[in-house]
Amino acid sequence: MSITSFFRSRRKDKQSAETARDRLQIVLAHERMSVNGDDFLPRLQREIMAVVVRYVDIDPSQAVVKLEKDGDLSTLEIEVTLPKADSLGVQRVAS
Amino acid sequence: MATVIVVTSGKGGVGKTTTSASFAAGLALSGAKTAVIDFDVGLRNLDLIMGCERRVVFDLINVIQGEAKLRQALIRDKRVENLYTLAASQTRDKDALTREGIGAVLEELAEEFEYVVCDSPAGIEKGALLALYYADHAVVVTNPEISSVRDSDRILGVLASRSRRAEQGDTPVKEHLLLTRYDPARVSTGEMLKVGDVEEILAIPLLGVIPESEVVLRCSNLGQPVILEEKSNAAQAYRDAVARFLGQEVEMKFLEQERKGLLRRWFRGAA
């Protein structure tokens, strides 16, 4: 083993414990939330859809609610597919 | 009233039985009458680690089902005074283990014993749930390894929701982190999670760090709790952990790589 490969292998190893720590933090953040918050996402999705449907004529099954957690940052993503513009009174007023 | 301590981890093979044996022996050495119970019905091993496998006549299930008196099933340790082992059944069905049955056994033990150490099986099935149900303290045995830490986190969730203390809204089970198989040399090269990382992730107080040691296998071969070894870092670390559990302040040892080894090697080389 050459001196450079010795140092390179040390550097790679150094990353592996850090990688373990980071992966653990992310997976545990997810698991703790699903254990304690026992799946509030379906309820959240239903309630948001109920509000959206009051204004826009959409198909509630076309909505996706996602919660992603990456380290300290959580992102709540709500994706609603809107129908074509001519059926959208609201959007015309806004534009 | 006896203090009930569960030794648990979620993951298998991290050192629960080794820790149960040493912890119970350490408590007994402090002068407190201590019983250690194997909850792993069908896969008993505590008897081997305690070195009393040939003296098992009756087991925990026999006592629960009224086939034997508790007194007959408790195996008195030949080395350490005040120390008794209660074996698990090797042949019976796990369903013979009931919450009421365990409760009655613990109540009877409480009349004589100061500490009862419950050696939990791996997993989060019935045996593990019953081992932790009556606990006042939980020693969570964890290796500095990703799957072990995750399973420990899971078992902490179970302790917080499914123990008797949690169900009855009592003060929660007191949790203690015991990090085992720690290898400071590998930590220093970044190959192994640091004790601080595991502490931070699990967020429970650190009771002790047991260094990786050849002595552990030797003791299991001999049927002797590690803590009884005279000159061993692992034994010293177990003695310190028990002392901390009993309220003494003892500094953490064996967290750094021993430099003496290198010096010794040099001198040996020179001689």
Side-chain angles (χ1 to χ4, degrees):
Chain A
M1 193 208 278
S2 73
I3 286 177
T4 48
S5 74
F6 173 73
F7 281 110
R8 204 176 309 132
S9 75
R10 277 174 77 98
R11 196 164 350 118
K12 205 189 316 158
D13 290 340
K14 185 158 213 136
Q15 287 167 346
S16 84
E18 282 172 27
T19 307
R21 187 194 57 205
D22 296 346
R23 290 175 61 210
L24 264 172
Q25 279 170 338
I26 292 166
V27 74
L28 291 183
H30 266 281
E31 286 175 356
R32 284 170 185 158
M33 194 171 332
S34 61
V35 170
N36 306 330
D38 86 331
D39 245 8
F40 62 91
L41 281 183
R43 252 184 308 138
L44 178 69
Q45 177 162 348
R46 262 201 311 279
E47 288 179 28
I48 288 175
M49 284 311 111
V51 175
V52 175
V53 161
R54 256 188 264 159
Y55 297 90
V56 193
D57 181 24
I58 58 156
D59 176 4
S61 68
Q62 292 301 301
V64 183
V65 179
K66 268 196 286 190
L67 186 66
E68 297 211 342
K69 201 158 166 122
D70 188 6
D72 292 339
L73 185 73
S74 301
T75 328
L76 179 66
E77 186 183 316
I78 303 167
E79 189 186 319
V80 183
T81 312
L82 295 178
K84 285 187 182 128
D86 55 343
S87 64
L88 266 183
V90 177
Q91 213 176 54
R92 232 176 263 142
V93 172
S95 64
Chain B
M1 194 57 205
T3 301
V4 179
I5 305 161
V6 63
V7 177
T8 187
S9 70
K11 192 175 185 303
V14 296
K16 280 183 299 296
T17 302
T18 300
T19 296
S20 297
S22 280
F23 216 79
L27 289 168
L29 286 171
S30 81
K33 199 166 176 185
T34 304
V36 56
I37 308 178
D38 191 347
F39 275 75
D40 206 345
V41 173
L43 292 170
R44 81 167 175 224
N45 278 320
L46 181 68
D47 54 338
L48 283 176
I49 300 300
M50 295 296 292
C52 63
E53 70 277 7
R54 292 170 63 185
R55 295 164 64 209
V56 178
V57 181
F58 297 112
D59 56 53
L60 178 61
I61 304 283
N62 291 139
V63 177
I64 287 177
Q65 303 210 322
E67 297 154 352
K69 293 242 172 10
L70 181 59
R71 212 170 272 285
Q72 297 174 288
L74 284 168
I75 304 164
R76 186 195 175 129
D77 196 90
K78 286 191 164 165
R79 297 149 300 208
V80 182
E81 218 185 324
N82 301 319
L83 180 60
Y84 293 80
T85 303
L86 183 50
S89 172
Q90 186 68 321
T91 49
R92 301 287 274 278
D93 193 50
K94 269 197 289 259
D95 292 333
L97 222 50
T98 61
R99 186 180 280 185
E100 295 70 30
I102 301 293
V105 169
L106 290 177
E107 213 165 288
E108 199 182 336
L109 283 171
E111 290 169 15
E112 288 190 51
F113 288 85
E114 262 184 79
Y115 293 102
V116 179
V117 177
C118 302
D119 181 20
S120 172
I124 45 172
E125 303 292 317
K126 194 175 182 187
L129 293 178
L130 282 175
L132 67 79
Y133 185 72
Y134 292 98
D136 301 305
H137 293 261
V139 175
V140 179
V141 182
T142 308
N143 289 169
E145 182 274 321
I146 194 161
S147 52
S148 171
V149 178
R150 180 200 223 172
D151 291 359
S152 292
D153 191 74
R154 187 84 178 82
I155 212 75
L156 286 169
V158 173
L159 279 163
S161 61
R162 302 184 68 178
S163 60
R164 181 177 62 168
R165 285 174 170 271
E167 280 183 4
Q168 299 186 347
D170 254 340
T171 49
V173 177
K174 196 146 189 283
E175 301 151 338
H176 310 266
L177 172 62
L178 190 77
L179 199 60
T180 56
R181 307 199 67 168
Y182 197 66
D183 187 339
R186 301 194 75 182
V187 170
S188 73
T189 56
E191 293 171 77
M192 183 179 268
L193 284 166
K194 287 196 274 280
V195 55
D197 290 341
V198 182
E199 243 182 308
E200 193 191 321
I201 289 168
L202 293 178
I204 60 170
L206 181 67
L207 182 66
V209 178
I210 314 298
E212 174 81 70
S213 167
E214 292 167 8
V215 166
V216 175
L217 178 59
R218 201 176 86 84
C219 285
S220 123
N221 290 341
L222 298 174
Q224 169 191 303
V226 173
I227 200 168
L228 300 181
E229 279 287 309
E230 288 288 317
K231 292 171 191 157
S232 149
N233 288 353
Q236 185 60 50
Y238 271 121
R239 283 192 285 271
D240 289 352
V242 171
R244 282 183 209 108
F245 184 85
L246 294 172
Q248 293 169 37
E249 276 196 30
V250 188
E251 66 160 352
M252 293 285 168
K253 301 186 187 86
F254 320 119
L255 300 185
E256 304 295 332
Q257 196 177 352
E258 271 185 89
R259 303 200 178 278
K260 214 163 57 182
L262 191 62
L263 271 179
R264 209 183 286 153
R265 227 176 302 153
W266 278 344
F267 281 120
R268 205 179 296 147

